[in-house]
Amino acid sequence: MFNSIRLRLTAWYVLIFGLLLGGFSVVLYLLLAHDLYGHFDSELASDAKVTATFFHNEVLENHGNIPAGALETLEELQIPGTALAIFERDRRLAATESRLEALVRSEGLLAKARTTGDTAFATVAGMGREGSRIAVVPVRSETVECFVVAMAPLDPVAAQLRAVRRILGLAFPATLLLAGWSGFLLAKKSLAPMVAMSSQATQIGSRNLHERLPVGNSGDELGRLAEVFNGMLGRLERAFESMRSFMADASHELRTPLAVIRGEADVSLTRERPAEEYRASLGIIHDESKRMSRLVEEMFDLARADAGHRPLNLEEFYLNDVVEECCRSAQALSRPKNLALTVEAAADVPFRGDAALIRQMTLNLLDNAIRYTPAGGSVAVRLERQNGTARITVTDTGIGIPAEAQEKVFERFYRVDKARSRAAGGSGLGLAIVKWVAEAHRGSVSVASDAGRGSTFTVQLPLEG
């Protein structure tokens, strides 16, 4: 039942609203009760003070006769619902209720009123189901020293508070029901865009990744969520396109050597041939299988890198030693083309990284430079330290790269001239691996080239941290 966000939001809304409403009702009731009792005490004290004033005047008219003044006062003043009595010190003068004297004395109100000189109050049982309130007012002058007592039942105040409790008891659940229904409608309306987005998202698959979720208001949270989801769809679409392109290019690259191997095998098996022709066919098959093996290994390396399954084996080594070792290995590739391969490396360049990957990156750059440099040309390698980074520069005098193709040469299987590149034995993955290795070491690679005049590839690797 509570798997729905709308119901959970409604439940939380009703719970919080109920707590706030309950707290407000309790505070309101307590303030109202305090005000009603305060007003009741004020009226009772007023009755007692009016009686005291009247009594004081009667005593003066009777020439200081306190008992006569008290009796006259109680006979003259008849306050509905209020019992009155007048005490002279500790002796009862008159009372409208037999229990009044005992109640006043048991509460010690005379002593309290005499001590404070102000009105004293007490709540006692009597004159009503809810008890009564007593007020004692001292009366003092040169001729008078008495106490006026007023007592009234608390039933009217209790009746008002019962009515308030009844109203709150009926209003509280009704308000909660109304709040719950309103909260449910509000949650439903607020989550309607999310429901629409989820419905649209369920219809998006690998065949229609170009579709996007509707963005109602880009300034609110749901609008930003839709934009984030659309951005993720865009990245997925590009990844799927890249995967499809990669699979198509890989299939195309593998199809050529497989066709050559199968063709050579078919030709060799059609009839008996001299040993030299068999050796020539086997040589071709061997070369194509080596090319295919290299292609598969490079594809495997990139696939592992994309999946995050090729962690760096970090170790401390000197970068200049790796660069010089790669240049010595590349001499075997440059000699058949009579290329001048030179290296200039700064001494003792400490580096922390994956030595095997750095070696593969450097060899790929050298292989690329040698492969596309005509016979008699030159390839120069330079390693230098610059502003906390190591710069590996490989410059050749080869065929160069057109300006419009320089941003694409690091893409997988991209070739400027597909026919010439395949004939030269390239797989189209060497520079993609160079970029991956550089970025895996928090570095970068760039190219500057003039078509027909050569190219310069520059790798920058941070040396610190």
Side-chain angles (χ1 to χ4, degrees):
M1 177 180 178
F2 283 94
N3 290 332
S4 171
I5 294 179
R6 283 177 294 183
L7 292 179
R8 289 202 297 270
L9 287 177
T10 302
W12 276 109
Y13 175 74
V14 172
L15 176 62
I16 295 173
F17 183 81
L19 292 176
L20 293 176
L21 182 61
F24 174 77
S25 300
V26 170
V27 172
L28 178 65
Y29 179 81
L30 294 177
L31 290 176
L32 181 60
H34 181 270
D35 185 67
L36 288 175
Y37 280 114
H39 183 69
F40 185 86
D41 284 349
S42 177
E43 288 188 346
L44 191 62
S46 177
D47 292 342
K49 290 178 181 178
V50 169
T51 303
T53 302
F54 193 89
F55 166 66
H56 184 269
N57 294 335
E58 287 293 330
V59 170
L60 293 179
E61 288 181 2
N62 286 279
H63 306 288
N65 190 339
I66 295 177
L71 292 174
E72 185 71 21
T73 299
L74 295 178
E75 290 176 357
E76 291 290 336
L77 292 178
Q78 296 293 330
I79 302 175
T82 302
L84 297 172
I86 299 176
F87 293 86
E88 182 182 6
R89 298 181 182 175
D90 293 334
R91 185 165 58 85
R92 181 169 68 87
L93 298 178
T96 59
E97 186 178 334
S98 59
R99 292 193 303 162
L100 189 55
E101 180 182 3
L103 291 173
V104 171
R105 294 186 186 282
S106 65
E107 296 292 332
L109 295 178
L110 297 183
K112 184 177 180 181
R114 179 183 292 115
T115 302
T116 61
D118 199 358
T119 306
F121 294 95
T123 301
V124 296
M127 289 187 69
R129 292 188 307 171
E130 302 296 333
S132 302
R133 191 74 168 156
I134 300 178
V136 177
V137 177
V139 182
R140 287 193 181 94
S141 68
E142 294 180 357
T143 59
V144 177
E145 185 178 2
C146 297
F147 300 93
V148 175
V149 179
M151 183 174 73
L154 292 171
D155 290 353
V157 177
Q160 289 179 303
L161 291 178
R162 280 196 299 272
V164 172
R165 289 196 298 270
R166 197 159 45 244
I167 293 173
L168 292 177
L170 293 174
F172 186 79
T175 305
L176 280 186
L177 287 175
L178 181 60
W181 178 249
S182 303
F184 181 79
L185 293 179
L186 179 62
K188 183 178 180 181
K189 183 174 179 61
S190 300
L191 294 175
M194 184 175 293
V195 174
M197 285 191 293
S198 62
S199 177
Q200 178 72 16
T202 56
Q203 300 175 10
I204 298 177
S206 59
R207 296 182 180 275
N208 59 339
L209 282 173
H210 61 278
E211 295 186 10
R212 296 293 181 267
L213 299 182
V215 181
N217 182 6
S218 60
D220 62 15
E221 289 80 359
L222 292 179
R224 290 195 291 273
L225 175 63
E227 290 181 342
V228 170
F229 197 83
N230 286 338
M232 183 185 69
L233 286 176
R235 292 191 294 273
L236 284 175
E237 183 181 13
R238 290 191 294 271
F240 268 79
E241 290 298 327
S242 177
M243 182 181 67
R244 292 190 185 102
S245 176
F246 181 82
M247 292 177 63
D249 291 339
S251 300
H252 181 73
E253 293 294 330
L254 290 172
R255 183 173 60 183
T256 301
L258 285 174
V260 172
I261 292 174
R262 182 174 179 178
E264 289 294 328
D266 289 342
V267 170
S268 299
L269 294 174
T270 54
R271 60 182 177 83
E272 290 290 335
R273 296 177 179 275
E276 291 78 6
E277 292 185 10
Y278 281 124
R279 281 196 294 270
S281 295
L282 289 175
I284 294 174
I285 292 173
H286 179 263
D287 292 340
E288 292 299 326
S289 63
K290 283 179 57 179
R291 175 186 169 191
M292 194 164 53
S293 297
R294 179 182 177 186
L295 177 62
V296 170
E297 290 176 0
E298 291 178 344
M299 289 171 57
F300 182 66
D301 288 340
L302 289 175
R304 291 180 62 197
D306 290 341
H309 296 159
R310 177 55 173 92
L312 299 182
N313 298 319
L314 299 179
E315 57 180 312
E316 301 285 347
F317 61 93
Y318 285 102
L319 196 56
N320 54 294
D321 291 342
V322 173
V323 172
E324 291 172 350
E325 176 188 342
C326 291
C327 289
R328 286 194 295 270
S329 299
Q331 291 287 351
L333 299 176
S334 63
R335 288 194 192 98
K337 301 179 70 172
N338 196 26
L339 299 180
L341 177 58
T342 60
V343 57
E344 182 180 350
D348 297 337
V349 181
F351 188 76
R352 178 175 175 79
D354 191 318
L357 289 181
I358 295 296
R359 185 177 293 105
Q360 183 179 7
M361 177 191 72
T362 307
L363 286 174
N364 283 358
L365 287 174
L366 288 169
D367 179 72
N368 186 77
I370 294 172
R371 191 183 305 277
Y372 297 107
T373 300
S378 63
V379 176
V381 181
R382 180 181 178 88
L383 169 64
E384 57 185 343
R385 303 176 64 166
Q386 189 177 64
N387 298 326
T389 62
R391 289 168 55 94
I392 302 175
T393 305
V394 178
T395 304
D396 63 64
T397 58
I399 61 176
I401 303 171
E404 65 275 9
Q406 292 180 16
E407 295 182 0
K408 301 179 181 180
V409 293
F410 297 103
E411 297 179 4
R412 299 171 187 184
F413 295 113
Y414 179 80
R415 292 186 177 91
V416 179
D417 187 338
K418 298 185 181 296
R420 291 184 60 183
S421 299
R422 189 173 290 109
S427 65
L429 295 177
L431 293 180
I433 292 177
V434 169
K435 182 181 179 182
W436 163 62
V437 174
E439 293 179 348
H441 288 83
R442 297 179 293 112
S444 62
V445 59
S446 60
V447 60
S449 179
D450 290 329
R453 304 181 62 181
S455 305
T456 299
F457 287 85
T458 303
V459 177
Q460 298 194 58
L461 302 173
L463 292 175
E464 299 177 357

